[in-house]
Amino acid sequence: MYPTVDPLAPSGISRRSFFRFAAGASALASLPIVTEAHLAYADRPKFADPNKGIHIDANENPMGPSEGARQAIVNIVPRGGRYLFNGEAELVEIFAKQEGLSVESIAPFAGSSEPLHYTVLAFTSKDRPLVVADPGYEAPMWAAKVSGAQILKVPLADPKGEAKHDVRAMLAAASNAGVIYICNPNNPTGTCTPRSDIEYVVANAPKDAVVLIDEAYIHLCDAPRSLDFVKEGKNVIVLRTFSKLYGMAGIRMGFAVGRPDLLAKITAFGGMNALPVTAVAAAKASLLDADLVPTRKKIVADTRVETIAWLKSQGFATTPSESNCFMLDVRKPGKEVQAALAAKDMYVGRIWPAWPNSLRITVGTPDEMAAFRKDFTAVMGSNTAGLAPPELPRRLQRTPFTHLS
């Protein structure tokens, strides 16, 4: 029998610390829709003034909205007294034309957290479990607790190398899965799962199971996209957001992309509500800026590569990220290093129990990462410089999946 694990455990969040987000909540059914912001804030060692210190703990984009998106917000504000539903329709049409999709296969939301939550609610139950990677993004598990679904956590394959989803193990975990969740690139490792592996999951998933592919970070990498599965009519829902590369985490805009019948089941739980006209305007401007994605992708990649190369030169191993975050093995309890950095107002990401000696680091601006290197050196000391990067422990390279109920 697999051990029962507290669903709050994946990021070390205590019930008390998390429920400050759900004031008055008295039952699992009243839990909020969990976002990266909730999880990052709940795991900070102490209260942090967002205007003080450096925050590289929530996978945010410090560049913020593009200049065109900012101007679009300014321009639309005088019309903010109107609902302007036509703006949403125009946004969907732009995205559909760019990606070769039908407008009926796109549902706009305030970010991608809502459709992620609703997809799990719609397609999992006490008889249809949720299958996720470990370490992976924890939000789907919160929704599964609401639906009463079992949660099967499958270790990533080859953590000392690619740290990709072990798709065959995920399929073997349950013959009656309701949702198989793949975050690509993965949060927290920043690593990509090969297209061939994703194709294998889609082709071999249990009947009526939905493969939920979260592409929140897809613009930051060269991995093939997954929207073609929707065009082919597969049991696939793809999530997109403007929170990451587009720098609109606080503005909230995203899409769920899937067959119309699948979208109808998730929008029954919520969504299709009028979206903020400011978010719609900013998203339209972002999509129409042809240079935005390649320009920002290069900025993030250059900063990530420089940071990881420096860490390697100091003897520390990281995951081979292609995103705006990576896992850093600090070779001691990660909580200790996280707290020591927080004492210097340097806030880094949380720890996953599967890799207790690793921290998730968000790629900030070049100046922020320079400050991180300085503080990290001070915290870790100089005696580690020049050491060869260690391999991750063998026990992390292959462990059975964990069953949560």
Side-chain angles (χ1 to χ4, degrees), residues 230-269:
V230 175
K231 300 173 191 177
E232 295 167 2
K234 306 295 186 182
N235 275 8
V236 170
I237 292 176
V238 179
L239 303 179
R240 289 288 183 87
T241 183
F242 288 83
S243 294
K244 306 306 175 183
L245 181 137
Y246 291 110
M248 292 172 49
I251 297 174
R252 313 306 301 148
M253 177 56 67
F255 298 120
V257 185
R259 289 200 321 264
D261 62 301
L262 297 181
L263 295 183
K265 291 181 179 180
I266 70 173
T267 55
F269 287 90

Side-chain angles (χ1 to χ4, degrees), residues 28-368:
L28 283 173
S30 61
L31 283 173
I33 295 174
V34 175
T35 69
E36 178 59 48
H38 291 127
L39 295 165
Y41 178 74
D43 206 52
R44 287 176 182 167
K46 63 176 183 177
F47 176 76
D49 182 344
N51 298 310
K52 182 181 179 183
I54 292 175
H55 299 262
I56 50 174
D57 63 341
N59 288 358
E60 298 157 323
N61 186 339
M63 289 180 273
S66 69
E67 191 59 41
R70 297 179 195 187
Q71 189 58 52
I73 291 173
V74 171
N75 293 343
I76 202 69
V77 165
R79 302 184 65 199
R82 304 291 184 182
Y83 291 114
L84 303 179
F85 288 110
N86 62 310
E88 293 180 27
E90 292 171 359
L91 174 63
V92 169
E93 288 171 1
I94 291 169
F95 183 69
K97 183 176 180 180
Q98 289 180 342
E99 301 293 346
L101 297 162
S102 68
V103 294
E104 293 78 17
S105 65
I106 304 166
F109 287 89
S112 60
S113 296
E114 286 181 322
L116 187 159
H117 188 90
Y118 299 149
T119 298
V120 175
L121 293 185
F123 298 104
T124 69
S125 66
K126 62 182 180 63
D127 300 316
R128 303 295 301 273
L130 167 71
V131 181
V132 298
D134 185 27
Y137 185 40
E138 311 97 319
M141 293 188 286
W142 285 86
K145 292 304 293 186
V146 176
S147 70
Q150 294 178 336
I151 304 165
L152 302 177
K153 298 170 63 181
V154 179
L156 293 173
D158 190 22
K160 72 173 183 177
E162 295 178 338
K164 63 182 182 179
H165 288 71
D166 190 338
V167 297
R168 284 165 175 77
M170 294 178 81
L171 289 172
S175 61
N176 60 334
V179 171
I180 300 173
Y181 175 73
I182 296 176
C183 188
N184 198 42
N186 186 43
N187 177 11
T189 60
T191 50
C192 290
T193 295
R195 166 71 183 205
S196 58
D197 285 353
I198 297 178
E199 290 174 350
Y200 186 86
V201 172
V202 174
N204 294 281
K207 186 178 185 298
D208 297 327
V210 168
V211 180
L212 179 59
I213 304 174
D214 189 342
E215 294 191 333
Y217 304 89
I218 198 68
H219 304 96
L220 294 161
C221 71
D222 294 323
R225 281 50 174 157
S226 296
L227 295 176
D228 56 302
F229 294 123
V230 175
K231 300 173 191 177
E232 295 167 2
K234 306 295 186 182
N235 275 8
V236 170
I237 292 176
V238 179
L239 303 179
R240 289 288 183 87
T241 183
F242 288 83
S243 294
K244 306 306 175 183
L245 181 137
Y246 291 110
M248 292 172 49
I251 297 174
R252 313 306 301 148
M253 177 56 67
F255 298 120
V257 185
R259 289 200 321 264
D261 62 301
L262 297 181
L263 295 183
K265 291 181 179 180
I266 70 173
T267 55
F269 287 90
M272 308 310 289
N273 188 17
L275 296 171
V277 296
T278 48
V280 172
K284 286 168 58 179
S286 298
L287 288 181
L288 293 173
D289 185 345
D291 295 326
L292 184 58
V293 170
T295 299
R296 288 193 164 189
K297 177 183 173 184
K298 185 178 187 308
I299 291 171
V300 172
D302 288 348
T303 307
R304 179 188 68 237
V305 169
E306 179 183 25
T307 303
I308 290 177
W310 179 84
L311 287 164
K312 183 177 180 180
S313 74
Q314 300 302 303
F316 293 93
T318 72
T319 50
S321 171
E322 298 180 51
S323 185
N324 70 335
C325 66
F326 57 87
M327 289 294 270
L328 167 63
D329 183 359
V330 295
R331 307 202 303 270
K332 63 170 66 176
K335 282 288 184 183
E336 295 179 8
V337 178
Q338 183 193 48
L341 287 169
K344 295 179 174 293
D345 287 323
M346 173 64 65
Y347 298 93
V348 297
R350 55 193 183 274
I351 294 92
W352 274 252
W355 296 3
N357 292 345
S358 293
L359 295 167
R360 190 190 65 187
I361 308 297
T362 298
V363 179
T365 66
D367 285 347
E368 287 174 337

